[in-house]
Amino acid sequence: LLFEEAATLPCTGVTAWNALYAGRPLRTGETVLVLGTGGVSIFALQFAHAAGARVIATSSSDAKLARAKALGASDGVNYKQYPEWHEQVLALTGGPGVDHVVEVGGAGTLGRSVEAARIGGQVHLIGVLTGGEINPTPILRRNILLRGIYVGSRQMFEAMNAAISLHEIHPVIDRVFAFDQAREAYHYMKTQQHVGKVVIRIG
């Protein structure tokens, strides 16, 4: 990997790996829902696709959904076009819902993520992005496993790297900025135009 690619692994990459493999591990043929096209979601898409899972992606941009499909997503849902996007996810699965949700959307998406998961499915809350009050009733009603994910262990990191090597996965880098462009890089990230990671190169 390039240094810029490798720099994305210790935080973003292993976080996605933790979500899919540290609880009840993802199995071939299962369905994964990823929210958006940021770093963790794109890594989860790549890992799930390599494992033979079906991936559904959401985004506010049809162009980003096209990029997600090029990376292996089977379906995309534009949440601006379909504000109740969980209903589209349920329709795409024929009713039951998905096996895994990689939840990075924040306080406004958790309820829909739970509704999009199948009975007994898993919703992986990434980092501290999801907050606010949680109504436990839908979680209990659907027997959902809600997992808090915050990076991962060295053991997970080594297992992830073995999979990356085997499947020749390359992290998706949207743009690379020089160190003296760090302020511009953060402004760019705030626009949410990126797909994958934004990297700042030192030196």
Side-chain angles (χ1 to χ4, degrees):
L1 299 180
L2 300 173
F3 285 121
E4 290 84 356
E5 294 175 322
T8 69
L9 301 180
C11 183
T12 309
V14 77
T15 297
W17 185 268
N18 184 351
L20 296 180
Y21 288 104
R24 180 182 61 76
L26 174 69
R27 294 178 292 188
T28 299
E30 290 189 328
T31 303
V32 177
L33 172 64
V34 297
L35 304 189
T37 56
V40 173
S41 294
I42 291 296
F43 262 116
L45 188 166
Q46 291 177 288
F47 293 152
H49 178 64
R54 177 188 182 187
V55 182
I56 300 172
T58 70
S59 176
S60 61
S61 163
D62 287 339
K64 288 183 179 181
L65 290 175
R67 184 75 190 280
K69 289 180 180 179
L71 290 167
S74 62
D75 303 280
V77 178
N78 187 318
Y79 60 78
K80 282 193 173 179
Q81 184 179 358
Y82 299 103
E84 301 298 320
W85 48 262
H86 62 286
E87 295 177 356
Q88 298 300 312
V89 173
L90 293 174
L92 287 168
T93 62
V98 302
D99 299 281
H100 297 262
V101 182
V102 179
E103 164 58 65
V104 300
T109 60
L110 180 56
R112 292 183 178 88
S113 291
V114 169
E115 292 296 334
R118 69 166 176 81
I119 294 174
Q122 298 183 79
V123 177
H124 312 283
L125 282 74
I126 304 303
V128 294
L129 295 177
T130 301
E133 295 184 3
I134 298 174
N135 178 7
T137 303
I139 298 170
L140 294 169
R141 177 169 50 83
R142 301 176 70 83
N143 194 26
I144 300 296
L145 175 61
L146 202 59
R147 298 183 61 235
I149 306 294
Y150 200 81
V151 198
S153 68
R154 175 175 175 171
Q155 184 179 21
M156 295 175 200
F157 186 68
E158 291 174 346
M160 175 195 71
N161 286 336
I164 287 173
S165 179
L166 175 65
H167 295 289
E168 298 183 349
I169 294 172
H170 283 266
V172 176
I173 306 295
D174 187 280
R175 284 185 65 180
V176 178
F177 292 82
F179 186 71
D180 60 4
Q181 297 175 305
R183 185 185 297 272
E184 181 183 346
Y186 279 104
H187 282 302
Y188 176 68
M189 190 170 180
K190 189 177 180 180
T191 68
Q192 298 184 337
Q193 297 178 35
H194 60 288
V195 174
K197 292 298 293 179
V198 176
V199 175
I200 298 174
R201 183 191 294 117
I202 300 177

